[in-house]
Amino acid sequence: MRHDLTDFDQVVLPAIELPWAGSLHSDVQVMHVASVSWSERHALLRNDAERDRYAGYRFAWLAARCFPRADRAFAQWAADFMLWFFLFDDVTADRVENAEQAATMVRRLTAMLDVVDLEELGEQPVHGETAWLDLCRRLRALVPSAENYQRWATAMRLWLLSLATQVFDQVCTDHVSPRSYASFRRYSAGLKPPIALADVANAGPITAEEFSSPEARRLELHAVNVIAWSNDVLSAPVEVHEPSTRSLVTVIKDAEPGRSWQEAVNLAVDQTHAEVAKFAELAEVVRRTASPHLSGWIDGCQDWMTGTVNWSLHDSARYGHATAAPLSAGPPLRR
């Protein structure tokens, strides 16, 4: 759906206020170089223009901000995963506007589901499939137990399947209510998989009882909403121009005829701040009796909220807030 963008260029994005200090992994530069080289070994970036663009997005900085206390091997896995994740989302689910493109998306989703379920490649691997298998195998070796891996794998399955819901919404409906959008955005944002690993990257694995507790599930809900909605706001200057991209800002704008773009942005930021407050209030209560590992997981959720905002504003050229020049890394692309 194309929107009337009259006066959108006059919109001022309000600051997204978060009460937690951000950190950065000390190995971020090395992580970046290694991640670009890894992407080339798996032929993820298909030409020089794509290579330079994704280098400028600096996904290693996103991993370094969201997992600042992780050990070196996990941090590198996270940087590689971020690059794969955003590229897969960009070329698979974004800008799907017709049945033929949707069919291509389904084939790609099927391939990735088979990899995470079977841990093997198809007869004719699709773009990104070998890199995805490498990520799955590396993570299984990194985490302390099969349960930790399966928490992540189950969340990845939900993300992959949610992309079909997202595209169905984009192709088949003109409008969606803010509540419906919030429901499937919790999954299509792809945030449940990394948050399922926030304990491993910090103080160590939480128990199954802690992971499944109502308090932890509620904290995850608030954290996912903060990250997804703040991303919707910060990406609006770029993504509002894409007719097939729907965000909290466009959904709020469409919900009331005559609502201005500035009003929609302000409401989205207010909604995000309300989730920040809910997380902070509940986290304070939970920490009073939490184990060190559960407190570490809460720290990880906070890292993700501050990390994604800081990455968008200060590190990455993806949404136009910072001019992050591509860094030279690895050999030239083979032709």
Side-chain angles (χ1 to χ4, degrees):
M1 176 183 178
R2 293 192 177 277
H3 288 89
D4 179 1
L5 298 179
T6 303
D7 298 329
F8 185 84
D9 60 346
Q10 303 300 313
V11 168
V12 176
L13 297 182
I16 296 175
E17 304 287 348
L18 298 168
W20 309 290
S23 301
L24 185 70
H25 199 286
S26 60
D27 291 327
V28 62
Q29 293 276 0
V30 178
M31 289 159 55
H32 171 83
V33 173
S35 190
V36 172
S37 296
W38 172 83
S39 72
E40 290 179 347
R41 290 197 301 275
H42 290 282
L44 278 180
L45 305 175
R46 295 163 291 186
N47 52 59
D48 288 339
E50 193 167 74
R51 178 180 184 270
D52 287 344
R53 185 166 69 255
Y54 278 84
Y57 292 161
R58 295 190 176 193
F59 293 116
W61 272 258
L62 179 58
R65 288 192 181 277
C66 294
F67 294 119
R69 289 173 290 278
D71 66 40
R72 177 71 179 82
F74 184 94
Q76 187 61 59
W77 176 88
D80 298 345
F81 173 76
M82 298 296 183
L83 195 159
W84 178 90
F85 177 91
F86 277 87
L87 179 63
F88 182 82
D89 190 52
D90 287 348
V91 303
T92 302
D94 286 356
R95 303 171 184 86
V96 175
E97 299 178 17
N98 56 55
E100 181 179 354
Q101 292 171 337
T104 299
M105 184 203 73
V106 169
R107 287 195 294 272
R108 291 176 58 78
L109 292 179
T110 299
M112 302 310 164
L113 283 168
D114 281 349
V115 168
V116 76
D117 288 342
L118 308 175
E119 287 203 28
E120 61 185 32
L121 298 174
E123 292 183 6
Q124 296 181 318
V126 301
H127 172 238
E129 190 174 342
T130 61
W132 176 228
L133 178 61
D134 177 71
L135 289 168
C136 291
R137 288 176 171 171
R138 284 165 59 195
L139 182 63
R140 186 181 287 278
L142 284 170
V143 295
S145 72
E147 180 178 342
N148 295 114
Y149 178 82
Q150 287 303 329
R151 290 175 190 171
W152 171 84
T154 297
M156 282 302 306
R157 295 179 184 106
L158 289 171
W159 175 66
L160 290 164
L161 292 170
S162 76
L163 296 182
T165 303
Q166 174 181 295
V167 170
F168 176 83
D169 162 62
Q170 292 169 346
V171 173
C172 300
T173 63
D174 291 330
H175 300 283
V176 64
S177 72
R179 178 172 182 176
S180 293
Y181 176 77
S183 294
F184 68 73
R185 181 63 168 151
R186 289 197 293 269
Y187 298 92
S188 66
L191 296 163
K192 286 178 175 287
I195 286 179
L197 298 172
D199 55 341
V200 175
N202 286 279
I206 59 178
T207 66
E209 291 75 19
E210 289 173 318
F211 182 79
S212 301
S213 70
E215 294 80 9
R217 296 304 88 215
R218 180 60 60 174
L219 285 169
E220 181 194 83
L221 171 66
H222 295 319
V224 165
N225 286 342
V226 170
I227 301 164
W229 297 348
S230 62
N231 176 266
D232 283 359
V233 170
L234 295 174
S235 66
V238 171
E239 295 190 341
V240 75
H241 297 278
E242 298 293 339
S244 61
T245 298
R246 191 165 278 167
S247 72
L248 183 63
V249 172
T250 63
V251 168
I252 290 175
K253 173 77 164 59
D254 293 341
E256 185 174 310
R259 177 173 283 160
S260 71
W261 283 111
Q262 187 67 63
E263 290 171 330
V265 169
N266 291 347
L267 286 169
V269 172
D270 289 346
Q271 191 168 316
T272 303
H273 283 156
E275 291 295 297
V276 173
K278 291 174 184 176
F279 180 97
E281 181 179 359
L282 180 56
E284 182 179 1
V285 173
V286 173
R287 284 186 190 275
R288 293 171 189 164
T289 57
S291 68
H293 291 178
L294 181 57
S295 287
W297 178 80
I298 295 173
D299 290 339
C301 292
Q302 294 172 181
D303 289 336
W304 264 85
M305 287 183 275
T306 56
T308 53
V309 170
N310 287 333
W311 171 76
S312 295
L313 291 175
H314 305 302
D315 302 322
S316 178
R318 185 172 176 86
Y319 304 126
H321 302 291
T323 305
L327 300 183
S328 177
L333 287 176
R334 298 183 182 88
R335 301 195 182 277

